[in-house]
Amino acid sequence: MELIHLARVLLRRWWLIAIPTVIAAAFALPGLLDRAPASTGGYGTVITYSAVQAFEAIPRSEGDYQDIWLSSEYTVNAFSEWVTGGRFKDAVTLALSEQGITINPAALSIAADNERSVGEIFLNYPDSTGLEAAATAVIDVLTTRSQEFFAQLGGQPARVTLLDQTPITAAPPPIVDRFSPLLRIGLGLLAGIGLAVLAHLFDPALRRREEVEMMGVRVLSNIPKR
């Protein structure tokens, strides 16, 4: 019964619901009609690699390659933490500056994963040219400077093998940006429902028999509509 009563309240004041919804839809309409590819997500690429400590630095018995696989797993795990740190990004920025290339380090996003002991580096940057240069510098630091950060490598860089690098493509915009027009309309609808309920609470008029009975007043009779 309460749901039916609420539905009647909303239907009676539908115009209060419609006003903020229409206003929100008017502001969201350009975003809904704009079908141009969004570039707010910048550009991205993924570098896949394997890494292992230099063979001569791995103590193992003749013919036993188990230590090599363990070394590779540990190295990739350690690199996944290293590449997401500030010192790695500083090294990438320095490598670029040595080539006369300047990027905005704060805009360069670096994430990493090490699923199944295979390393993945996810790069994102607003400019495709800058991202291409940054990816080259990332590979250079990864393959030539790891010994500067890991003493257990014995002063020798880890042997890094690049497995794949995806083409640089436009990254999709954040999901909030993609659904922001619908979110605006939804917020407008909720605001309208709130206005309708608020108007009902401050309305002293009683229009139906059920409203009187909800106040605890006994109804003896009513006059039917003609």
Side-chain angles (χ1 to χ4, degrees), residues 13 16 18 71 76 84 110 131 203:
R13 293 175 173 83
L16 283 176
S71 174
V76 170
T84 57
I110 304 178
L131 178 60
D203 187 1

Side-chain angles (χ1 to χ4, degrees), residues 124-204:
N124 186 271
Y125 193 71
D127 175 66
S128 60
T129 303
L131 178 60
E132 183 177 2
T136 302
V138 165
I139 295 173
D140 178 63
V141 174
L142 189 70
T143 56
T144 63
R145 298 191 56 184
S146 57
Q147 76 280 5
E148 300 176 15
F149 299 87
F150 296 95
Q152 57 268 42
L153 292 177
Q156 302 183 51
R159 297 189 176 183
V160 177
T161 302
L162 297 180
L163 303 179
D164 190 20
Q165 180 179 354
T166 62
I168 294 177
T169 55
I175 189 170
V176 175
D177 293 346
R178 284 178 280 171
F179 288 97
S180 60
L182 297 179
L183 291 176
R184 292 179 183 178
I185 296 175
L187 290 175
L189 179 62
L190 290 177
I193 294 175
L195 287 175
V197 173
L198 192 64
H200 172 73
L201 293 177
F202 286 95
D203 187 1

Side-chain angles (χ1 to χ4, degrees), residues 4-81:
I4 296 177
H5 179 67
L6 177 61
R8 288 171 178 169
V9 170
L10 298 180
L11 288 174
R12 184 183 303 133
R13 293 175 173 83
W14 62 268
W15 51 276
L16 283 176
I17 302 176
I19 290 176
T21 304
V22 171
I23 294 175
F27 283 100
L29 188 60
L32 289 174
L33 296 179
D34 185 13
R35 298 184 179 273
S39 59
T40 55
Y43 295 83
T45 185
V46 181
I47 299 172
T48 307
Y49 68 95
S50 65
V52 68
Q53 189 179 6
F55 294 157
E56 56 271 18
I58 303 176
R60 62 183 179 88
S61 58
E62 187 67 27
D64 184 4
Y65 292 94
Q66 181 178 358
D67 291 336
I68 296 178
W69 283 96
L70 288 175
S71 174
S72 177
E73 179 180 356
Y74 295 155
T75 303
V76 170
N77 291 347
F79 279 17
S80 296
E81 295 294 330

